[in-house]
Amino acid sequence: MLILSRKKDQAIKIGDDITITIIDIHGDQVKIGVEAPRAVKVFRQEVFNAIKTENTAAATVNTDKIGDLSKILGK
């Protein structure tokens, strides 16, 4: 992990297309701005984790339901 110190209104570049700017600092809260191409998805970590969990659950095969479907289709 790369650790950088930045002050308000200073920025970090990631590649040619992504800029992270420190917008404001209040106590232990830091507001950041992210400039990135629309094709780059940017999420808070907790939202990303929730999406990943939901996608994993949706991709899990429920064998009971498949068995029921096979009976309906006569296979």
Side-chain angles (χ1 to χ4, degrees):
M1 176 187 310
L2 174 64
I3 300 174
L4 302 170
S5 296
R6 299 279 73 199
K7 295 179 181 178
K8 184 178 174 184
D9 297 324
Q10 292 183 331
I12 298 168
K13 287 292 288 180
I14 302 174
D16 293 331
D17 298 332
I18 300 173
T19 303
I20 310 293
T21 304
I22 305 304
I23 304 298
D24 201 11
I25 304 169
H26 279 289
D28 65 348
Q29 186 177 43
V30 178
K31 290 184 181 179
I32 62 171
V34 179
E35 293 180 61
R38 290 196 181 272
V40 175
K41 295 179 182 179
V42 179
F43 299 103
R44 295 186 329 248
Q45 183 69 49
E46 63 274 14
V47 172
F48 178 80
N49 291 345
I51 292 168
K52 188 175 175 182
T53 300
E54 288 296 319
N55 287 344
T56 300
T60 301
V61 176
N62 185 333
T63 56
D64 292 337
K65 300 261 186 226
I66 291 174
D68 292 344
L69 183 58
S70 295
K71 289 177 188 175
I72 292 170
L73 296 174
K75 295 184 178 185

